[in-house]
Amino acid sequence: MPYPDTSTPVHIDAPLAGFSECHHDFVAQLHSALYLPELVTAAAKARVMANDLLTMFRGGR
């Protein structure tokens, strides 16, 4: 719907569509962050396993 007081027609839907599109990457990044707790747990387990391997190879067990 164009505004009557402008020299160039402005469509209301265009800015809103552009606004939602520019935030697509932001929303995708937030969605990826949902997996962070699982990754933290996996990283902690990997650190323990790596430490155990180092201990074993250094003759500590």
Side-chain angles (χ1 to χ4, degrees):
M1 172 177 184
Y3 292 103
D5 61 345
T6 61
S7 58
T8 318
V10 176
H11 299 282
I12 291 176
D13 295 333
L16 295 177
F19 179 79
S20 65
E21 284 298 315
C22 75
H23 285 81
H24 175 71
D25 291 336
F26 178 73
V27 172
Q29 196 69 21
L30 285 177
H31 182 68
S32 296
L34 293 173
Y35 299 101
L36 284 177
E38 295 171 23
L39 294 174
V40 169
T41 302
K45 289 179 183 178
R47 277 192 294 276
V48 170
M49 291 174 65
N51 191 37
D52 289 347
L53 283 171
L54 287 173
T55 302
M56 181 185 72
F57 283 118
R58 291 180 180 154
R61 286 191 182 187

